[in-house]
Amino acid sequence: MMMLLDHSAITKTWVTKMSNYFSYLPNLDYVNRIPSEQNISSYTEVKNLFKRVKLNDELFQDLTNFTKYQIVGDERPDNVANKVYNSSNYDWIVLLSNNIINIQNEWPMTNRAFELYMNKKYGETNYDNIHHYESIEVKDSSNSFVVLKKGLEVPSDYSITFYDGSLGKMNIVTDTNVSITNYQYESRIQDDKRNIFLLRSDLIHTVVREIKKLMKYESGSTQFVTRLLVKGENINLF
């Protein structure tokens, strides 16, 4: 699993802590790209960032293995890990528990980042402009049946016509929607990202053991060197 990091939005302190995840990645002998290198057969040992694993589906399908958590304020994954697991080194467990790959898009913005984003997208004076309209819940006159669900995006002049059994006639409702501002719309998106799941603390060591097992290379390939090292092809030779 590769995790994309936005260096402009995340502090170097947290990026450094992500090395705890990368430490589980096996290595790759890759052809040396140093301009001064004279030997075309020279290789440099690097982390294989393309190595990806998938944990047992049974672990993720059983909701009892997870607890709900709501991200508070500007909390980063390492802050959450430290609060829940008593170690910021398990920040990658926080991301893995929610299948987060691109943290820039899938983790809630900081307050400052959100402000900059809003200013860039809408302009400072347009926060309260209408983004769209959404339906309110409409029931029949007996208040027993829902004829229009809440939260559907509708036109500003939307109305609904239905047969009202309690009245024994057709009924027209024109007051069916509310306006949603740019700020409300974008805030909802961020708030939704704050609701995450966290792997139970007692299962962390099980996951770590499985990660170590799955990250190892299988013998038999011509590129195989050891369980933790393979040799890449020198594509410039062909």
Side-chain angles (χ1 to χ4, degrees):
M1 186 183 76
M2 296 182 64
M3 298 170 186
L4 307 182
L5 308 178
D6 177 21
H7 291 268
S8 64
I10 304 174
T11 65
K12 292 182 179 179
T13 300
W14 183 70
V15 172
T16 302
K17 290 177 181 177
M18 279 301 297
S19 62
N20 293 289
Y21 167 77
F22 294 120
S23 67
Y24 297 113
L25 295 177
N27 294 337
L28 170 69
D29 259 348
Y30 190 66
V31 60
N32 203 327
R33 299 295 183 181
I34 301 176
S36 60
E37 180 60 56
Q38 300 298 315
N39 186 352
I40 62 174
S41 297
S42 175
Y43 288 82
T44 299
E45 190 170 321
V46 297
K47 285 293 180 183
N48 186 357
L49 300 179
F50 299 100
K51 180 71 172 178
R52 301 181 66 179
V53 297
K54 182 179 180 181
L55 299 182
N56 195 322
D57 286 337
E58 294 181 0
L59 179 70
F60 291 97
Q61 290 173 354
D62 188 350
L63 293 180
T64 63
N65 292 331
F66 298 85
T67 58
K68 292 182 179 180
Y69 182 86
Q70 187 171 62
I71 299 167
V72 180
D74 290 347
E75 282 184 331
R76 303 186 307 265
D78 61 318
N79 301 140
V80 175
N82 190 57
K83 181 189 293 186
V84 177
Y85 303 129
N86 296 318
S87 174
S88 59
N89 293 338
Y90 291 127
D91 50 1
W92 62 275
I93 289 286
V94 174
L95 300 179
L96 184 63
S97 297
N98 296 277
N99 197 29
I100 293 177
I101 297 177
N102 189 332
I103 196 162
Q104 179 179 2
N105 295 327
E106 298 177 87
W107 191 265
M109 298 180 189
T110 64
N111 290 330
R112 178 57 177 163
F114 182 68
E115 180 182 350
L116 293 174
Y117 169 80
M118 289 293 295
N119 288 345
K120 182 178 180 180
K121 184 172 182 179
Y122 299 104
E124 293 184 24
T125 61
N126 298 321
Y127 283 24
D128 293 329
N129 285 5
I130 296 175
H131 186 277
H132 66 277
Y133 293 86
E134 289 184 2
S135 62
I136 60 174
E137 185 178 77
V138 176
K139 294 184 177 181
D140 67 350
S141 59
S142 68
N143 206 37
S144 301
F145 301 101
V146 175
V147 294
L148 179 63
K149 292 182 179 180
K150 178 182 178 180
L152 302 177
E153 187 169 339
V154 295
S156 60
D157 58 351
Y158 185 74
S159 64
I160 183 171
T161 302
F162 64 96
Y163 181 79
D164 194 321
S166 297
L167 298 177
K169 63 177 183 179
M170 298 300 293
N171 193 8
I172 300 176
V173 179
T174 56
D175 183 16
T176 61
N177 60 67
V178 292
S179 61
I180 304 298
T181 66
N182 293 328
Y183 182 83
Q184 289 174 314
Y185 171 75
E186 298 292 349
S187 294
R188 281 184 185 176
I189 294 176
Q190 297 304 309
D191 289 341
D192 287 343
K193 294 177 182 179
R194 293 185 179 279
N195 299 311
I196 62 175
F197 288 91
L198 296 179
L199 186 71
R200 291 198 337 248
S201 299
D202 59 300
L203 294 175
I204 286 182
H205 294 299
T206 300
V207 169
V208 170
R209 285 196 301 270
E210 188 170 358
I211 284 284
K212 289 181 178 179
K213 178 182 177 181
L214 294 174
M215 283 294 185
K216 292 181 179 179
Y217 298 115
E218 297 293 334
S219 60
S221 168
T222 56
Q223 295 179 309
F224 180 85
V225 179
T226 70
R227 294 276 283 169
L228 294 176
L229 178 66
V230 294
K231 186 177 291 291
E233 293 291 341
N234 189 340
I235 60 175
N236 284 344
L237 295 178
F238 303 96

